Amino acid sequence: RRMPADMPLGRREFVVGALAAGLMAMPGMALAQAVAAAADGNDVLRRLMAASTQRAFARLALPEGFWKSGVARFNLPILFTKTGGNPPGVLADTAFREQLIHKLNNVAEAGARGASAAMTDASRKLTFADPQAVLSGRPTAATTEMRLQMGTNMLAMLIPSIEQALIAAPDPIVTQATAILPGVTTGDVAHAVALSAENGIWYEIGAAEAEIRANPSLSNDQTLVAALRR
């Protein structure tokens, strides 16, 4: 159906958008209910992801947080393995590599502490196109959507705190491993650890989301508890 050419621009844009969303076919009450449901669903999901993010980061920021996690613990970052099948010096020693992996997982705790507040704040600003589908989806569906929306933002949050930790308290194992890699700096190590830690953190957030969906009282958010138990 053709719209009048003299229709005011603001109204014309609204009608086009409404047609595209299929909302014009709804009666007024149904439209209002749909908008309210979407707003309510987004609030529930924001609360869910804020609680999940806080829970995940609290665990990972503890001493041995990454190392003891069943999902966030990571192996040797690619920076230390890209030399091929013949790693140089002490990196050829299995026992040394295990120690290095443990030390780098511990360094990642600083990144978790540094990024926790910003990540929780980001979770409270999320907007989901189809909140009801996410709420009725897989136990980690909201985490998947949050990760897509955030892109590489978490990585940028992790790097500064990890680099500061490496500089403030240099570990002899990490220092020894870095020294035998030509041209590798502390900043390079921080970036490599952040890349590995980021993936693990998303897994930890997903695990926390699944836990809260299964037991909403873990969130300590009565509004979220009521919403998830409907």
Side-chain angles (χ1 to χ4, degrees), residues 74-82 100-101 104 189 192-194 196:
F74 54 87
N75 289 319
L76 204 58
I78 193 170
L79 176 71
F80 297 95
T81 63
K82 64 182 180 181
L100 179 60
I101 292 170
L104 294 177
V189 175
V193 172
S196 296

Side-chain angles (χ1 to χ4, degrees), residues 80-105:
F80 297 95
T81 63
K82 64 182 180 181
T83 52
N86 298 305
V90 290
L91 286 174
D93 182 75
T94 301
F96 181 87
R97 288 200 305 272
E98 284 297 318
Q99 291 182 70
L100 179 60
I101 292 170
H102 194 167
K103 296 293 185 181
L104 294 177
N105 271 267

Side-chain angles (χ1 to χ4, degrees), residues 28 43 49 73 75 86 90 113 116 132 151 154 163 172 187 203 222:
D43 180 60
M49 291 317 300
R73 178 175 172 177
N75 289 319
N86 298 305
V90 290
R113 288 190 289 271
S116 178
Q132 299 308 318
M154 191 208 295
E163 185 168 7
Y203 285 135
Q222 293 309 308

Side-chain angles (χ1 to χ4, degrees), residues 159-172:
I159 293 173
S161 296
I162 292 174
E163 185 168 7
Q164 287 173 11
L166 288 167
I167 294 170
D171 181 89

Side-chain angles (χ1 to χ4, degrees), residues 14-15 18-19 21-27 31:
F14 170 78
V15 172
L19 284 167
L23 296 178
M24 289 297 287
M26 294 185 179
L31 174 57

Side-chain angles (χ1 to χ4, degrees), residues 31-221:
L31 174 57
Q33 290 173 342
V35 172
D40 180 63
N42 267 295
D43 180 60
V44 171
L45 287 168
R46 291 185 193 111
R47 289 174 179 272
L48 173 60
M49 291 317 300
S52 301
T53 300
Q54 287 177 321
R55 186 172 176 82
F57 274 91
R59 287 196 291 231
L60 295 177
L62 292 171
E64 302 282 308
F66 278 84
W67 187 250
K68 292 180 179 178
S69 170
V71 294
R73 178 175 172 177
F74 54 87
N75 289 319
L76 204 58
I78 193 170
L79 176 71
F80 297 95
T81 63
K82 64 182 180 181
T83 52
N86 298 305
V90 290
L91 286 174
D93 182 75
T94 301
F96 181 87
R97 288 200 305 272
E98 284 297 318
Q99 291 182 70
L100 179 60
I101 292 170
H102 194 167
K103 296 293 185 181
L104 294 177
N105 271 267
N106 289 350
V107 167
E109 296 162 16
R113 288 190 289 271
S116 178
M119 282 293 295
T120 301
D121 184 58
S123 70
R124 294 191 175 107
K125 298 175 182 176
L126 297 168
T127 299
F128 297 83
D130 191 349
Q132 299 308 318
V134 177
L135 282 168
S136 62
R138 295 175 295 105
T140 59
T143 300
T144 299
E145 287 292 323
M146 180 176 173
R147 185 171 189 176
L148 287 171
Q149 289 190 37
M150 290 204 63
T152 61
N153 288 350
M154 191 208 295
L155 181 65
M157 297 175 190
L158 293 171
I159 293 173
S161 296
I162 292 174
E163 185 168 7
Q164 287 173 11
L166 288 167
I167 294 170
D171 181 89
I173 297 292
V174 178
T175 301
Q176 191 176 357
T178 305
I180 61 176
L181 298 176
V184 170
T185 66
T186 301
D188 296 328
V189 175
H191 190 271
V193 172
L195 279 171
S196 296
E198 180 202 26
N199 203 45
I201 291 170
W202 283 118
Y203 285 135
E204 193 74 41
I205 293 173
E209 179 193 350
E211 290 165 1
I212 292 171
R213 282 179 182 257
N215 183 6
S217 62
L218 292 173
S219 68
N220 295 315
D221 180 337

